[in-house]
Amino acid sequence: NAGVTQTPKFRVLKTGQSMTLLCAQDMNHEYMYWYRQDPGMGLRLIHYSVGEGTTAKGEVPDGYNVSRLKKQNFLLGLESAAPSQTSVYFCASLKMASFDGTVLGEQYFGPGTRLTVT
Amino acid sequence: GEDVEQSLFLSVREGDSSVINCTYTDSSSTYLYWYKQEPGAGLQLLTYIFSNMDMKQDQRLTVLLNKKDKHLSLRIADTQTGDSAIYFCAEKRGRLTGGGNKLTFGTGTQLKVEL
């Protein structure tokens, strides 16, 4: 298994440009997530998906759109990039497992995409 | 992550114990996690604890949970240079399943291990 992969690894955009970040997982996980990581702020959830064809807003969804047309892929789009969107973006997928009769979710993270908007 | 707080930086000597602290505000949290992020990489799950437990030990890692004070800690015994990383606590709020299984992450603690 490749696990969770993200493309591209790095990108520099000019203000107003658009781009799509791709997240792929080969573990047949239902749930997938997009986070952004900024210094001193931890990870903040942008959007998430509980299954193919479904998406939902997270904590900081403004300026981003997502799509989950296939179970294994979760796309994050920036329609008109702004300098405030300079960040490291992480994708994750969730495995649910039973532990002593209790269902536990473990998130598996991709390596991240470093995006700079000038 | 503003509801889950951690100190930003911790420095220890190799061989000493490290204690990373986390405070959270939601008393409905069902389980809490510790994730490790090495430079240039994504987060990896280190350990977790259920909200009905006080302590969990896993080799060099000890997790302590004080529900009354909403305080979580991660103790790393015999800290090694390979433990240098950013450590995030995270909480799962509400029901055990459902609600998108979202996590709320802390701000992260940068652990530096010196020789």
Side-chain angles (χ1 to χ4, degrees):
Chain A
N1 286 352
V4 180
T5 57
Q6 293 182 232
T7 51
K9 287 185 170 50
F10 304 93
R11 186 71 185 270
V12 178
L13 288 180
K14 293 186 178 179
T15 297
Q17 287 185 317
S18 63
M19 79 162 294
T20 300
L21 282 68
L22 170 64
C23 175
Q25 53 96 4
D26 60 359
M27 297 173 283
N28 202 35
H29 290 169
E30 289 291 338
Y31 292 11
M32 296 185 75
Y33 308 83
W34 274 108
Y35 295 90
R36 58 177 290 173
Q37 182 181 25
D38 301 291
M41 300 188 76
L43 271 74
R44 292 181 292 169
L45 182 65
I46 304 171
H47 286 280
Y48 65 101
S49 168
V50 300
E52 182 179 317
T54 71
T55 63
K57 293 180 180 179
E59 185 185 354
V60 288
D62 294 341
Y64 305 95
N65 57 75
V66 287
S67 64
R68 184 95 181 271
L69 298 179
K70 293 183 179 180
K71 188 177 184 179
Q72 63 267 35
N73 296 336
F74 195 27
L75 278 64
L76 178 71
L78 287 75
E79 289 188 352
S80 179
S84 61
Q85 293 177 304
T86 293
S87 188
V88 181
Y89 291 85
F90 287 98
C91 174
S93 67
L94 182 79
K95 173 185 175 183
M96 300 301 294
S98 178
F99 177 81
D100 289 345
T102 300
V103 178
L104 173 72
E106 176 181 352
Q107 293 196 15
Y108 290 79
F109 283 81
T113 295
R114 185 172 294 275
L115 175 67
T116 302
V117 183
T118 61
Chain B
E2 63 181 321
D3 292 337
V4 183
E5 296 194 351
Q6 302 176 237
S7 53
L8 290 180
F9 192 76
L10 175 65
S11 178
V12 299
R13 288 184 185 273
E14 187 178 39
D16 287 351
S17 293
S18 308
V19 179
I20 302 171
N21 295 304
C22 171
T23 57
Y24 59 99
T25 58
D26 193 330
S27 58
S28 70
S29 295
T30 49
Y31 42 90
L32 298 113
Y33 297 92
W34 282 104
Y35 277 84
K36 177 183 180 182
Q37 183 184 30
E38 295 184 349
L43 280 67
Q44 285 186 301
L45 180 65
L46 265 185
T47 187
Y48 55 86
I49 188 168
F50 293 112
S51 58
N52 61 359
M53 297 168 68
D54 298 322
M55 184 182 84
K56 180 183 178 186
Q57 190 149 3
D58 185 2
Q59 298 182 335
R60 290 192 298 124
L61 305 178
T62 303
V63 180
L64 295 177
L65 176 61
N66 181 330
K67 284 192 71 175
K68 176 176 171 289
D69 295 337
K70 298 187 184 68
H71 183 264
L72 180 74
S73 68
L74 173 69
R75 179 177 180 270
I76 306 174
D78 188 24
T79 312
Q80 303 297 308
T81 54
D83 295 324
S84 292
I86 301 176
Y87 291 81
F88 291 91
C89 63
E91 58 172 343
K92 166 70 173 74
R93 296 173 177 175
R95 296 172 295 160
L96 286 173
T97 59
N101 285 283
K102 300 187 294 291
L103 297 182
T104 301
F105 284 86
T107 49
T109 299
Q110 171 91 51
L111 174 64
K112 181 179 178 183
V113 182
E114 298 176 329
L115 296 173

